[in-house]
Amino acid sequence: MPPKAKRQASNPPKAKAAARTPSTGPAKAASPTRVAKAAPAAKAPAKAAGKALAKAAPEEKVDPEEEKRAAEAAAAAAEEVAKEAEKKAAEEAEAAKEAEKKAAEEAEAEKQKAEIEAELKRLAELANGEVVIRYSMYAEKFPISDHKLTAATIDELYCLTDVMPGCFIHLAEKEFEHGEDHHYMKEDPPGTFHGLMANETYWCYVQQDPEQEKKDQERMRQQWAGVQVGGGVGDRGSEGETCSCGWGAPCTNPMICKDWDNRFANAIKAGGNPILFTG
């Protein structure tokens, strides 16, 4: 019986080689599912490496004393800022207070200035005009100029020296009671009366006794005595001790003035010059 023929391979060598040879055609795209599954696998090593690095790095310890000093420094800085803000607020409040005070003082000064100007204007209108001079049964009107009147003008109408030769004429602002001391208006020189106001009434007194006249003149000198300050506001010497209105200079301090509301009129009566009252 002839020997059996060997089974021929199902795939010849060339076919096997061809099967092993890679295809030159385009590669088949990977499945999206496979890519998605591969991503977590790639992240895992990185995460593990981060944990390992964190474990490997030594933890930095905070010094309690240094932390305390830092807190104290921050508190001190905040306190300093608060103090500066408080100081600035106080300075602003003080400045506002000073400004308010200055404004009030200026307003008061303006008010006083206006009052003085009004009073001086009123007195200026009374400097010239007529006054009534009463003597016994007489009450005639006489002209005054610059608040002044002379005894000669009165005598010319009343003829007092004709009836009482050598007599002396004086004026007063009131009628004296019996036994009351006589205080006459200022005369400078004797026989020229100062401080008369238009539309007012004055009383005439006659002195016939020369000796008594000397006493009267001396009393008037004492009454109107004082340091002559020029009849102005700005030059009055030591006003702090006494009222200067009787010297012809209106006071500037109501605490020492004897008659503050009438200081200008009283200064005029004492021979003061109203032109100088606002110097």
Side-chain angles (χ1 to χ4, degrees), residues 102-118:
K102 183 178 179 181
E105 290 175 348
E106 290 177 351
E108 182 62 23
E110 287 296 323
K111 179 184 176 182
Q112 291 182 4
K113 181 180 178 182
E115 290 176 351
I116 290 174
E117 290 176 351

Side-chain angles (χ1 to χ4, degrees), residues 6 9 23 25 49-50 62 78 85 87 107 125 127 129 145 150 165 193-194 217 232 238-239 253 263 277:
K6 291 183 180 181
S23 175
V62 179
K87 180 181 177 182
E125 293 173 352
S145 176
T150 64
F193 309 109
H194 291 256
Q217 288 290 343
S238 57
E239 186 195 7
N253 186 349
R263 62 192 183 280
F277 286 177

Side-chain angles (χ1 to χ4, degrees), residues 18-209:
R20 288 195 298 266
T21 302
S23 175
T24 58
K28 190 175 181 180
S31 173
T33 305
R34 292 180 180 178
V35 175
K37 288 181 178 180
K43 289 181 180 179
K47 190 173 182 180
K51 288 182 179 180
L53 183 63
K55 288 181 179 180
E59 294 183 2
E60 184 177 353
K61 294 182 179 181
V62 179
D63 187 357
E65 289 298 324
E66 186 171 346
E67 187 177 24
K68 180 181 178 182
R69 286 193 295 270
E72 290 175 349
E79 184 179 0
E80 186 66 23
V81 171
K83 285 183 178 180
E84 286 295 326
E86 184 179 356
K87 180 181 177 182
K88 184 178 180 180
E91 290 175 350
E92 291 177 350
E94 185 65 22
K97 184 178 179 181
E98 286 296 322
E100 183 179 357
K101 180 181 177 182
K102 183 178 179 181
E105 290 175 348
E106 290 177 351
E108 182 62 23
E110 287 296 323
K111 179 184 176 182
Q112 291 182 4
K113 181 180 178 182
E115 290 176 351
I116 290 174
E117 290 176 351
E119 176 63 6
L120 292 177
K121 181 180 179 181
R122 184 186 74 85
L123 294 174
E125 293 173 352
L126 299 176
N128 304 290
E130 291 183 332
V131 296
V132 174
I133 304 298
R134 299 183 66 90
Y135 177 76
S136 186
M137 65 185 72
Y138 304 110
E140 300 294 334
K141 291 182 178 181
F142 292 85
I144 62 171
S145 176
D146 195 23
H147 299 288
K148 298 175 185 177
L149 176 64
T150 64
T153 302
I154 298 172
D155 188 43
E156 185 177 352
L157 182 60
Y158 285 170
C159 302
L160 298 174
T161 56
D162 292 343
V163 179
M164 296 170 283
C167 68
F168 304 94
I169 299 171
H170 305 295
L171 289 183
E173 293 184 89
K174 59 173 288 187
E175 185 175 15
F176 299 115
E177 298 291 338
H178 178 72
E180 184 180 358
D181 288 339
H182 289 199
H183 296 281
Y184 302 131
M185 299 189 71
K186 181 173 182 178
E187 300 176 27
D188 186 18
T192 298
F193 309 109
H194 291 256
L196 283 78
M197 303 290 173
N199 307 320
E200 294 293 332
T201 298
Y202 300 91
W203 280 259
C204 177
Y205 288 89
V206 177
Q207 179 57 253
Q208 300 183 70
D209 184 355

